[in-house]
Amino acid sequence: MSSSATGVNMLPAPTSNTYPAPRLLPILPSDIPTMARIHVEACSPDLFFRLLYPNPTAFQKAVEDILRSQMRSPKIKFIGRKAVNDQGEVMGWVSWLVAPREFKYDSEESLSLYATPSSFTKNDEGQNFPVRDGLASSFYGKQWKVWREWAEGKCHILVNGLFTLPKFQRRGVATALMKWGEEMADREGIVSFLLATPWAHGLYKHIGFKDFDHADLKLGEWALGPEDESYGWGLYRLWFMIRLPQND
């Protein structure tokens, strides 16, 4: 999940490869620290995520807390899969949150299952581009508004995270993980939603997701560091996407 070029950044759909298919195993509570580490490492090259979550230690702790909350929640059903290679290394993971019709994206308790921006946004001392206040509120506020309008009132799946370690990217790991989940959605007849970054947008389109809205962020407006575009600040677009269940 990354973008550093000026303008709206897009990556091509994944190409075929000859790497062995990963084993897809359930995510267990004991896996949470590993999943959080992969999450942070996968996001680290992305300027948007470095602005949104400038403190990696706090970021990882928050991800661990959120995963525990999701796994324990009586409000939603957590389904997670990790991709493991023949050497036993976890290459990546994905999670889906299955929400019932009555689930609401408007209470503090409900929103805490998805993100806790206040625990992410403390700047590290000496950070080379400290962050202007308000990015997290702006970013999450747009998300909740869209999910309230599109997802509430129907049983739905939210793809809540898809992360592959950089050294295992472009090997079909993310595609294998997503196909497992969408086959599940098809069997259950449930609509799926997600928010796509530039790095994952092509993959999601490849497996059948469609754009229905987007959010544009001018990254340079949120960074208090250099103003000479030396970090590649530009327009960063995120896509809201939907996939209807497919019937054979």
Side-chain angles (χ1 to χ4, degrees):
M1 302 160 54
S2 175
S3 173
S4 60
T6 304
V8 175
N9 299 279
M10 299 180 65
L11 294 185
T15 57
S16 60
N17 56 58
T18 58
Y19 292 102
R23 289 181 294 142
L24 304 183
L25 304 175
I27 294 176
L28 305 174
S30 59
D31 294 319
I32 287 176
T34 299
M35 302 305 105
R37 176 182 57 80
I38 293 172
H39 185 146
V40 173
E41 187 171 341
C43 292
S44 63
D46 191 308
L47 288 176
F48 169 64
F49 281 92
R50 289 170 68 185
L51 285 173
L52 189 62
Y53 313 130
N55 185 322
T57 302
F59 182 15
Q60 181 162 332
K61 173 65 164 54
V63 172
E64 292 180 12
D65 291 343
I66 290 169
L67 287 173
R68 290 190 183 95
S69 295
Q70 292 172 350
M71 288 184 177
R72 297 169 180 166
S73 175
K75 293 180 175 291
I76 50 94
K77 181 180 181 181
F78 175 93
I79 300 175
R81 285 295 182 275
K82 57 186 177 183
V84 181
N85 64 14
D86 291 340
Q87 290 71 46
E89 296 176 282
V90 180
M91 298 184 288
W93 64 278
V94 65
S95 68
W96 301 270
L97 302 180
V98 184
R101 293 177 182 274
E102 60 270 19
F103 186 84
K104 301 293 184 182
Y105 290 91
D106 58 2
S107 70
E108 184 175 345
E109 182 182 5
S110 297
L111 298 184
S112 69
L113 296 172
Y114 292 88
T116 52
S118 61
S119 62
F120 290 157
T121 52
K122 180 180 178 182
N123 291 309
D124 286 324
E125 290 187 12
Q127 180 173 313
N128 53 8
F129 45 88
V131 184
R132 193 182 305 278
D133 291 340
L135 176 58
S137 297
S138 176
F139 171 62
Y140 286 106
K142 171 70 172 180
Q143 279 197 69
W144 310 144
K145 180 177 184 294
V146 171
W147 299 146
R148 281 195 295 269
E149 293 175 352
W150 282 78
E152 281 189 4
K154 59 177 69 70
C155 182
H156 64 277
I157 294 174
L158 188 65
V159 182
N160 193 50
L162 174 65
F163 307 99
T164 306
L165 284 171
K167 67 179 181 179
F168 294 120
Q169 291 173 3
R170 308 298 292 178
R171 298 189 182 191
V173 173
T175 300
L177 287 165
M178 284 300 301
K179 284 187 174 180
W180 187 96
E182 293 319 306
E183 288 173 0
M184 170 192 65
D186 291 343
R187 290 193 300 271
E188 300 296 328
I190 303 176
V191 62
S192 300
F193 295 96
L194 58 81
L195 179 62
T197 64
W199 274 59
H201 186 234
L203 181 149
Y204 294 137
K205 291 181 70 175
H206 182 70
I207 61 174
F209 279 84
K210 306 292 184 183
D211 302 339
F212 67 88
D213 200 349
H214 67 269
D216 288 336
L217 298 168
K218 295 181 179 179
L219 298 185
E221 294 181 353
W222 298 100
L224 298 177
E227 299 180 357
D228 61 359
E229 299 289 325
S230 60
Y231 282 100
W233 304 130
L235 183 67
Y236 188 98
R237 174 165 290 182
L238 298 121
W239 289 266
F240 293 89
M241 306 186 77
I242 186 173
R243 181 183 181 276
L244 299 177
Q246 308 296 306
N247 298 315
D248 294 334

